[in-house]
Amino acid sequence: VFAADYIIRLACCPSLLPFLLHPLNIVDLVSFLPWYLTLALASSHVEGTSVFRVLRLLRVFRVLKLAGRYSKMTILTQTVIKSVDMLLVLALFMSLAVLFFSTLMWLTERGEYDPTLQYYVRDNEVFTSSSTGQPIQSPFNSIPLAFWWSIVTLCTVGYGDAVPITPGGKVVAMAAMICGILLLAPP
């Protein structure tokens, strides 16, 4: 279908070179051409055609053609383009807050390192492994593991899969929730 559409548009175009050099037409060509090349090369037993499968992913960019037809999509695109600097500042502040609160949560909630289990265990942990009866690993075993909790908390989602159980951890969580609201609320 993509090939037929491309060939019909190619046959009907008034000027061949501008049509061939237009970025969206190049995306169209690259989206269906790998399938035909793989089909042709499969009969010749040539290996290394998996690269063409990756090129087929470019079909997704055909959706960009639809965006130009809708004025509201154009307005939204222009708004995002004009707001890029503020969105980057927001991303910077969110990244700093994630790093800050993840570090604080790791310091307050990691628990004590158990050399026999080889991971951190929290003192007041109520959950245990169902197979061994051992205490489960702290969800704040490292700062990168605490990033998940920080992102979910700062974005005001709060899944509840990693929760603080110490008073200090609850204070850090409360501060992270308030900070998340203050970061995301301003226009």
Side-chain angles (χ1 to χ4, degrees):
V1 175
F2 291 126
D5 173 56
Y6 186 83
I7 291 170
I8 290 170
R9 287 187 294 123
L10 181 65
C12 297
C13 76
S15 181
L16 189 64
L17 189 61
F19 177 84
L20 291 174
L21 295 179
H22 192 274
L24 292 176
N25 291 332
I26 293 171
V27 168
D28 287 345
L29 180 66
V30 173
S31 70
F32 71 81
L33 193 60
W35 186 80
Y36 289 107
L37 288 174
T38 305
L39 191 65
L41 294 175
S43 61
S44 64
H45 303 292
V46 174
E47 293 186 20
T49 58
S50 61
V51 171
F52 295 129
R53 289 188 205 135
V54 175
L55 290 177
R56 280 192 241 161
L57 289 173
L58 291 175
R59 288 182 197 167
V60 173
F61 291 112
R62 290 178 57 94
V63 174
L64 296 176
K65 293 172 78 172
L66 297 175
R69 294 185 181 150
Y70 298 106
S71 61
K72 291 179 182 171
M73 184 67 82
T74 306
I75 292 169
L76 179 65
T77 305
Q78 290 172 354
T79 304
V80 169
I81 289 171
K82 289 180 181 177
S83 302
V84 162
D85 55 343
M86 286 292 115
L87 292 173
L88 289 174
V89 169
L90 175 66
L92 173 70
F93 285 153
M94 285 297 284
S95 300
L96 291 174
V98 165
L99 182 63
F100 177 72
F101 286 113
S102 297
T103 304
L104 285 179
M105 192 55 75
W106 176 74
L107 288 170
T108 58
E109 285 290 325
R110 70 178 175 216
E112 296 295 324
Y113 185 76
D114 189 335
T116 58
L117 297 174
Q118 297 184 348
Y119 56 76
Y120 285 97
V121 177
R122 298 192 286 182
D123 292 334
N124 301 329
E125 187 63 67
V126 294
F127 296 109
T128 60
S129 172
S130 60
S131 60
T132 63
Q134 300 286 346
I136 62 167
Q137 176 177 340
S138 170
F140 307 102
N141 204 28
S142 67
I143 294 173
L145 284 177
F147 280 4
W148 167 252
W149 174 87
S150 261
I151 291 168
V152 167
T153 303
L154 286 168
C155 293
T156 68
V157 175
Y159 285 123
D161 54 347
V163 294
I165 57 176
T166 65
K170 291 177 182 180
V171 170
V172 171
M174 184 177 52
M177 290 176 212
I178 292 170
C179 184
I181 292 169
L182 292 175
L183 276 173
L184 295 176

